[in-house]
Amino acid sequence: GKGDRFLVNVLNGSYVLDLASGVVTDAVTHKPSQPKLAHLLIKYLAKYVGAKPGDWVPLEKFPNGQSYAGNMMRRVYRPLIEHFGYDPVGFDTACRAIDGEKEKFGGLSYSFNLFPMMRLLLQLWVGAERIYRSPTANIMFSSSYLSIFTAEEAVDSAEYLVSELVKAKKKGSKPT
């Protein structure tokens, strides 16, 4: 036997928490997860009590959320806009590659299940160089986040989502 373990779906993959070692690994490759993802997953397992996703809430709704706006800009919005700000097709393709669900909100909108019942909404308004319109982005969290995660952890989860989108874009652009 392999001892007690939890298997958790994360975006379009699965991770395993080994209770004896406390190590979180990818269920397929068995590679250790990023430390921030391991922290989020362990906290999710420890604190989730069945809350439904609920309404979308901005980072500012978290306690001290406003103080993380700069982190959100630096770690989430900037990389998102750098990679997808003028690439709506690449954005759509990357979102679908990691099981994003198209939403009927402003811009190009997709929602993602970071963990079961923990959702993120990502919106991108693509820039247009011809008319000097800069791209902009927005991220919201399901209200179920508020019962488990801090503002800093919300930023960490958004950063993880964007890093997975960037990976999906790079995978998709490689010649086969």
Side-chain angles (χ1 to χ4, degrees):
K2 295 188 175 189
D4 292 332
R5 300 179 309 162
F6 279 104
L7 177 71
V8 179
N9 294 331
V10 180
L11 295 175
N12 64 330
S14 297
Y15 284 82
V16 174
L17 165 62
D18 181 291
L19 290 177
S21 67
V23 174
V24 175
T25 54
D26 184 293
V28 177
T29 66
H30 306 293
K31 289 181 185 161
S33 75
Q34 298 170 19
K36 283 180 187 173
L37 178 62
H39 169 85
L40 292 169
L41 187 143
I42 290 167
K43 190 165 181 189
Y44 167 75
L45 286 171
K47 291 199 158 196
Y48 180 69
V49 291
K52 296 280 183 266
D55 296 330
W56 296 114
V57 294
L59 182 65
E60 293 74 28
K61 290 280 188 225
F62 288 81
N64 300 321
Q66 194 61 50
S67 62
Y68 286 92
N71 279 319
M72 185 74 110
M73 182 56 74
R74 245 185 342 276
R75 293 172 33 207
V76 180
Y77 294 139
R78 236 181 248 150
L80 180 69
I81 287 168
E82 274 171 27
H83 289 277
F84 299 105
Y86 295 95
D87 183 8
V89 173
F91 181 71
D92 276 328
T93 304
C95 286
R96 284 196 305 274
I98 63 167
D99 292 347
E101 194 177 301
K102 193 102 171 93
E103 296 284 356
K104 289 176 172 35
F105 291 106
L108 296 172
S109 303
Y110 283 89
S111 62
F112 302 86
N113 284 311
L114 181 68
F115 302 123
M117 300 296 169
M118 297 287 131
R119 297 177 59 74
L120 288 98
L121 173 69
L122 184 50
Q123 296 170 280
L124 176 69
W125 289 268
V126 181
E129 287 164 337
R130 201 170 39 82
I131 55 171
Y132 305 104
R133 186 179 69 218
S134 297
T136 57
N138 184 44
I139 291 191
M140 305 267 269
F141 305 88
S142 59
S143 60
S144 53
Y145 253 77
L146 291 168
S147 61
I148 296 180
F149 297 116
T150 64
E152 183 178 12
E153 291 161 341
V155 173
D156 289 346
S157 64
E159 181 181 36
Y160 176 74
L161 171 61
V162 170
S163 73
E164 291 300 299
L165 286 170
V166 170
K167 274 190 218 160
K169 180 181 182 179
K170 288 178 177 162
K171 257 188 216 159
S173 63
K174 284 184 185 144
T176 48

